[in-house]
């Protein structure tokens, strides 16, 4: 405790300068609490307002898919270029060093495999684990139109309730079943339901026709899912279009880690997301880095 004799009376009050009251930079997030906003500000870069999430959670239902056979060898070299890693607690604990300080988005729904009905998920990770692992958000799959639609929505709302208690955002991941139409109408429906029921941000696939209506009608940020592997220039074009049509970033997996040169690809994606680089320029960057390595 300081010696009372040493305490000097304050004089610098700047009575002529009102204290600033800043709004929060993320869409629909201004009324959240400090801890929630702080976590979101680690996922989304406050300067660009966007994020490059690297999704490597595929193993939770499909095992060691191409590019994720050895996360330690194939993925850790990409991690420094990702704003966020989206992954399971198993890979986090077994492979990612705790000295890695970028934010983690933890997959918390699961319980199914590619051998069975995928929409039949439950919450597979308790909230205490998310707190213990110091994560910045929790990801829950939501199957709008799927066989277990209601259950998956309730999985999400449960995590929203728990996350709100502890200041941890919930990412709703819209999943498209084999038989569902991938069009603007579907994604407007799916993303809006997730936001209405409390998701702090939502992951949606990109569609060529009307994606801007999906981002416009969703009151919280949308990040674009990558989807199946396509040629690098096409993937950069898709990311560019999504960003220009209102996405607040990407959550890409296969189109980064299955690229011919993943370290180059993630840097090219960053250029598109954070610097508004055109797909052609970003592809040039991709080739330059690829040829140097
Ligand atoms: C799938 O359910 C997982 O959440 C993946 O994270 C998601 O599909 C994104 O990965 P990709 O860009 O490979 O589609």
């Amino acid at each position: 405790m300081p010696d009372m004799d040493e305490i000097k009376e304050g004089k610098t009050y700047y009575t002529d300068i009102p204290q600033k009251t800043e709004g929060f930079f993320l869409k629909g997030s201004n009324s959240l609490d400090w801890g929630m906003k702080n976590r979101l500000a680690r996922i989304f870069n406050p300067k660009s307002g966007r994020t490059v999430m690297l999704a490597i959670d595929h193993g939770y239902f499909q095992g060691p898919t191409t590019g994720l056979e050895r996360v330690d060898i194939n993925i850790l070299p990409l991690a420094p270029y990702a704003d966020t890693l989206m992954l399971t607690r198993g890979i986090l604990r077994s492979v990612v060093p705790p000295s890695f300080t970028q934010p983690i988005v933890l997959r918390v729904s699961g319980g199914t495999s590619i051998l069975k009905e995928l929409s039949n998920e439950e919450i597979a990770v308790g909230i205490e684990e998310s707190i213990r692992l110091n994560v910045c958000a929790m990801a829950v799959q939501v199957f709008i139109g799927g066989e277990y639609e209601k259950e998956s929505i309730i999985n999400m709302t449960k995590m929203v309730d728990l996350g709100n208690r502890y200041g941890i955002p919930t990412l709703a991941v819209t999943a498209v079943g084999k038989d569902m139409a991938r069009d603007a109408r579907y994604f407007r429906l799916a993303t809006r339901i997730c936001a209405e029921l409390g998701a702090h941000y939502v992951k949606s696939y990109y569609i060529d026709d009307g994606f801007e209506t999906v981002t416009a009608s969703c009151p919280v940020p949308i990040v674009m899912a990558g989807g199946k592997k396509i040629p690098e220039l096409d993937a950069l074009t898709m990311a560019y279009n999504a960003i220009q049509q209102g996405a607040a970033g990407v959550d890409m997996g296969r189109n980064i880690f299955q690229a011919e040169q993943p370290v180059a690809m993630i840097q090219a994606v960053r250029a598109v997301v954070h610097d508004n680089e055109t797909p052609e320029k970003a592809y040039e960057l991709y080739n330059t880095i690829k040829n140097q390595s």
Side-chain angles (χ1 to χ4, degrees):
M1 183 145 180
D3 187 334
M4 294 297 281
D5 295 340
E6 293 293 315
I7 293 176
K8 291 184 182 157
E9 198 168 337
K11 287 183 192 147
T12 320
Y13 293 105
Y14 300 103
T15 54
D16 54 334
I17 306 177
Q19 181 174 314
K20 275 188 196 159
T21 303
E22 292 181 7
F24 191 60
F25 67 97
L26 269 186
K27 178 182 181 181
S29 310
N30 201 41
S31 297
L32 301 176
D33 196 15
W34 196 95
M36 188 80 82
K37 283 179 176 161
N38 183 257
R39 285 186 170 91
L40 287 168
R42 292 186 57 207
I43 295 169
F44 293 89
N45 182 324
K47 282 195 190 126
S48 66
R50 297 174 186 156
T51 186
V52 173
M53 295 177 59
L54 178 60
I56 56 162
D57 60 329
H58 308 56
Y60 92 95
F61 70 100
Q62 61 182 115
T65 194
T66 306
L68 293 182
E69 300 91 337
R70 285 290 300 269
V71 174
D72 57 332
I73 294 170
N74 297 328
I75 299 298
L76 290 187
L78 306 180
Y81 303 101
D83 294 314
T84 308
L85 283 186
M86 178 193 186
L87 75 184
T88 60
R89 62 174 159 179
I91 290 295
L92 182 63
R93 277 212 175 89
S94 58
V95 178
V96 179
S99 53
F100 181 76
T101 53
Q102 272 127 298
I104 296 297
V105 174
L106 189 67
R107 154 72 54 185
V108 298
S109 65
T112 57
S113 80
I114 45 172
L115 305 179
K116 297 247 176 130
E117 167 55 43
L118 283 177
S119 68
N120 191 13
E121 286 193 348
E122 293 199 15
I123 292 302
V125 181
I127 185 74
E128 291 83 2
E129 271 286 77
S130 296
I131 297 167
R132 192 178 294 120
L133 292 167
N134 200 25
V135 307
C136 277
M138 302 175 292
V140 181
Q141 208 82 5
V142 180
F143 298 83
I144 302 297
E147 192 174 334
Y148 291 87
E149 175 189 83
K150 185 182 85 177
E151 289 81 355
S152 72
I153 292 174
I154 298 304
N155 287 340
M156 184 202 81
T157 60
K158 280 183 183 157
M159 295 323 289
V160 169
D161 285 337
L162 288 166
N164 281 344
R165 187 183 299 168
Y166 298 105
I168 305 179
T170 297
L171 165 64
V173 180
T174 59
V176 183
K178 285 193 192 100
D179 307 324
M180 287 178 223
R182 286 187 180 215
D183 59 16
R185 194 172 175 195
Y186 174 79
F187 286 113
R188 283 195 300 267
L189 174 76
T191 58
R192 182 63 175 260
I193 288 173
C194 292
E196 295 261 357
L197 291 174
H200 300 96
Y201 70 113
V202 183
K203 176 169 167 175
S204 168
Y205 287 92
Y206 179 74
I207 32 150
D208 286 326
D209 194 8
F211 185 73
E212 71 283 2
T213 67
V214 180
T215 57
S217 59
C218 183
V220 295
I222 283 189
V223 289
M224 183 206 79
K228 68 176 193 302
K229 174 74 177 72
I230 53 178
E232 282 79 1
L233 178 57
D234 294 351
L236 292 168
T237 303
M238 180 173 70
Y240 177 83
N241 290 340
I243 293 295
Q244 298 307 315
Q245 291 169 38
V250 298
D251 186 11
M252 290 171 80
R254 288 163 288 177
N255 276 296
I256 292 177
F257 62 70
Q258 291 179 354
E260 195 185 335
Q261 225 302 355
V263 170
M265 188 60 180
I266 194 166
Q267 291 178 74
V269 171
R270 288 190 71 79
V272 164
V273 171
H274 289 302
D275 306 328
N276 290 308
E277 200 60 276
T278 61
E280 294 74 22
K281 287 274 181 199
Y283 189 56
E284 269 179 46
L285 176 67
Y286 169 75
N287 282 317
T288 304
I289 301 170
K290 189 176 95 170
N291 294 333
Q292 281 165 358
S293 55

